[in-house]
Amino acid sequence: MWCIGELTEEYCSRMYALLELYARPMSCAEPVICIDEKSLQLIGHSRAPLPMNSRNPEKVDYEYVRNGTTNLFVAVEPKAGRRTVSVTERRGKADFVAFVGDLLTRTYAKARCVHLVLDNLNIHFRKCFDDVLGKRAATKLLRRVQFHYTPKHASWLNMAEIEIGILSRQSLDRRIESRHRLQCEVDAWQQARNASQRTIEWTFTRQDADMKLGQHFVSKLAC
């Protein structure tokens, strides 16, 4: 379900800009990378599960042990079928800056321009890079980067949410008791999806937006 509070001029222009970006052909020189994060509670068993046998599935006690929380940063290049997932203890601006820095200096070191699609979380803005790295180092790191932000309350336009949903269903829909176990699960999932080059086919276009949302546009918002 979409929760669109108001179709402002900013909402319209940001939405159209992202849809135009997604419509471009894949380019190794200018990759489009969507980034998002997911907080996860680490949960262990209070009693050892009864193992599965030929007649019965595994049985798990309803009681569980909370082992704190952790965070996942997820970056996906939808048309190339490449994703990078990092498990961190926190979701602070230093963690985000380190994650993006690793993408730019390793995974996409040869790209001429890197397009980053982000939502409006406070750690996603340029100022955080200045705060963590200093203005000079941040300018050097981000010299090849173009930031693209979803409209407010429209994170559904960020394809990283799709990838996180797939990760949650395929790998995280169970009790995971430790960061080490989570890292192993995520690494195995990431390697398998990257090896098979699983892409995301984005079909929502500007024409679709005009059909679905056009009745709510006022004349001054026509872009």
Side-chain angles (χ1 to χ4, degrees), residues 25-45:
M26 191 187 82
S27 171
C28 294
E30 294 195 18
V32 175
I33 304 160
C34 303
I35 299 178
D36 204 355
E37 51 276 307
K38 176 182 176 64
S39 296
L40 190 72
Q41 187 173 37
L42 299 172
I43 296 177
H45 296 291

Side-chain angles (χ1 to χ4, degrees), residues 63-175:
E63 292 185 346
Y64 57 86
V65 178
R66 291 175 177 164
N67 294 326
T69 59
T70 190
N71 176 70
L72 296 171
F73 285 113
V74 178
V76 58
E77 187 183 354
K79 291 187 176 179
R82 176 191 291 179
R83 70 273 306 142
T84 303
V85 185
S86 177
V87 180
T88 60
E89 185 176 356
R90 300 177 184 85
R91 190 191 63 177
K93 59 184 176 182
D95 306 289
F96 175 72
V97 168
F99 178 67
V100 172
D102 191 63
L103 288 174
L104 297 176
T105 57
R106 298 179 62 185
T107 311
Y108 297 98
K110 296 182 179 180
R112 181 176 66 243
C113 176
V114 178
H115 298 273
L116 297 183
V117 178
L118 300 156
D119 62 25
N120 296 273
L121 188 66
N122 61 346
I123 64 171
H124 290 166
F125 292 91
R126 166 64 188 261
K127 183 180 183 301
C128 293
F129 291 85
D130 293 341
D131 293 344
V132 174
L133 302 175
K135 198 160 188 176
R136 185 174 181 179
T139 299
K140 181 179 179 181
L141 177 67
L142 300 177
R143 69 189 186 279
R144 298 179 294 122
V145 173
Q146 285 191 21
F147 292 98
H148 304 265
Y149 292 98
T150 64
K152 293 177 182 178
H153 310 298
S155 57
W156 55 271
L157 281 164
N158 186 344
M159 281 191 268
E161 284 204 348
I162 298 174
E163 194 69 16
I164 288 175
I166 296 169
L167 169 61
S168 299
R169 292 192 300 272
Q170 294 184 348
S171 189
L172 306 181
D173 192 19
R174 64 179 76 96
R175 291 179 182 176

Side-chain angles (χ1 to χ4, degrees), residues 162-195:
I162 298 174
E163 194 69 16
I164 288 175
I166 296 169
L167 169 61
S168 299
R169 292 192 300 272
Q170 294 184 348
S171 189
L172 306 181
D173 192 19
R174 64 179 76 96
R175 291 179 182 176
I176 300 177
E177 72 281 359
S178 67
R179 281 185 61 197
H180 174 72
R181 171 73 183 280
L182 176 63
Q183 187 72 65
C184 293
E185 294 280 350
V186 166
D187 286 348
W189 176 86
Q190 175 181 276
Q191 290 170 14
R193 280 185 68 79
N194 283 342

